[in-house]
Amino acid sequence: MYVQNIESSRERVSQSGLGGITVSLGSDPEGNPALVTSSSFEQTWSRVRIAMRLVKMRIDDRDRSQGLYFVSKIDDEDGFFESLAFWSDDDSDAMQIENGNYRVQVESAGERTYIVFTDTDDVPLKADILARNFNLLAKAFKARVKESELTDS
């Protein structure tokens, strides 16, 4: 009985938006580098929105029917002197990728849900780039935060 109550509580926390999801590095069924989770499409879809904001990716558009988020990475540097501020770690929670537009594809297959990052030509990010950003992304997907707690940027 006690164990069932714990599992039920965990499920309610997860569904409330407070509980994040656990992701791992892997590949989607087509062999593209991906973040992989055992969470449902619905949970993953809603967490992508939160995670992208936490890693300072701007969400430009989304199409849930296709499982697509359209995001962009744009540095908001104040200029030359701001770039010299080596003591500042403001970008430590930003994805380390080139400025530009990207797509985040969420798709389920079997008991897994895959999150694939592609450029605008639908070319997946290379495995080493995804690996370089994995700790940051894993932390963002696991974060216990609701979207309403995030500030608009």
Side-chain angles (χ1 to χ4, degrees):
M1 178 74 169
Y2 179 73
V3 172
Q4 290 175 336
N5 288 340
I6 291 173
E7 291 302 317
S8 176
S9 295
R10 285 182 182 158
E11 184 64 25
R12 282 194 306 272
V13 166
S14 179
Q15 291 175 354
S16 73
L18 285 176
I21 63 172
T22 301
V23 296
S24 60
L25 276 175
S27 300
D28 72 359
E30 289 82 39
N32 298 313
L35 298 178
V36 183
T37 182
S38 59
S39 297
S40 69
F41 175 89
E42 290 77 20
Q43 288 174 311
T44 305
W45 176 259
S46 65
R47 293 308 298 186
V48 167
R49 185 177 180 117
I50 294 168
M52 291 301 95
R53 292 180 71 185
L54 289 173
V55 298
K56 299 186 179 180
M57 296 289 288
R58 185 181 68 212
I59 297 172
D60 299 318
D61 200 2
R62 60 188 173 159
D63 183 344
R64 191 174 194 282
S65 67
Q66 293 187 26
L68 277 174
Y69 277 91
F70 300 88
V71 300
S72 51
K73 165 82 166 32
I74 300 172
D75 286 332
D76 292 327
E77 296 279 337
D78 290 335
F80 175 75
F81 291 107
E82 181 67 25
S83 69
L84 294 177
F86 60 86
W87 58 88
S88 174
D89 63 352
D90 290 344
D91 286 339
S92 64
D93 56 348
M95 277 190 71
Q96 300 303 307
I97 56 175
E98 291 185 25
N99 288 349
N101 298 315
Y102 296 89
R103 296 177 185 156
V104 181
Q105 176 77 53
V106 179
E107 55 190 354
S108 289
E111 295 181 8
R112 301 273 184 237
T113 302
Y114 303 92
I115 306 162
V116 179
F117 293 80
T118 66
D119 64 16
T120 56
D121 294 326
D122 211 26
V123 175
L125 285 184
K126 294 181 181 179
D128 63 324
I129 296 172
L130 194 57
R132 182 179 337 130
N133 287 283
F134 175 71
N135 289 336
L136 176 72
L137 288 166
K139 181 179 172 184
F141 275 99
K142 191 71 173 170
R144 297 176 68 88
V145 62
K146 290 190 268 187
E147 188 172 355
S148 60
E149 296 171 346
L150 298 172
T151 59
D152 287 331
S153 45

